[in-house]
Amino acid sequence: MNNKPWAYVTAAWSTDRSRAKRSAKRYCRKLYEAGYTPICPLLSLPEIINVSNAEDMLRRSRILVVCGTAVDETVLTDIAIANRFHVASSTMRGVLTVDKSKKFE
């Protein structure tokens, strides 16, 4: 059984679907290597999943991770939802910086 905490992945995804999925996979791999189970609606059957399920996954996550440098309406909405459910938010850089500092303790 996987005991890694959930990390909900959000970003201002590219309008090019294949490019967006490549980015999402790269972000998820980095989070997995940092000790999290990445939860990314873009990669989780996007044709089937609805917004209420995505909100539930975010609510159950330990952290919301904002990836990339751009911020759009989706990212702002995810941050607002995370705040409402008292889920911590960070950037990918923040998560990876903390992960690296833990290795030196």
Side-chain angles (χ1 to χ4, degrees):
M1 180 177 242
N2 186 353
N3 292 325
K4 294 181 176 194
W6 283 14
Y8 189 95
V9 180
T10 191
W13 303 113
S14 170
T15 56
D16 176 342
R17 193 92 171 136
S18 63
R19 185 175 178 192
K21 284 186 174 186
R22 281 193 309 273
S23 295
K25 287 176 185 177
R26 189 174 63 250
Y27 296 142
C28 288
R29 171 53 58 192
K30 286 181 181 182
L31 285 169
Y32 182 80
E33 291 169 354
Y36 292 91
T37 297
I39 304 300
C40 184
L42 180 69
L43 299 176
S44 303
L45 305 173
E47 292 79 24
I48 298 170
I49 196 168
N50 65 36
V51 175
S52 64
N53 288 340
E55 283 188 21
D56 188 49
M57 289 189 295
L58 176 51
R59 180 182 60 80
R60 297 162 94 205
S61 297
R62 170 136 346 134
I63 190 168
L64 167 72
V65 182
V66 178
C67 301
T69 56
V71 174
D72 66 2
E73 197 62 37
T74 300
V75 173
L76 294 174
T77 299
D78 287 342
I79 292 169
I81 293 168
N83 287 337
R84 183 172 32 144
F85 292 127
H86 306 289
V87 173
S89 298
S90 183
T91 61
M92 177 65 82
R93 174 178 266 164
V95 170
L96 296 179
T97 300
V98 169
D99 181 57
K100 285 179 186 174
S101 70
K102 286 192 295 189
K103 292 178 183 175
F104 295 110
E105 291 179 352

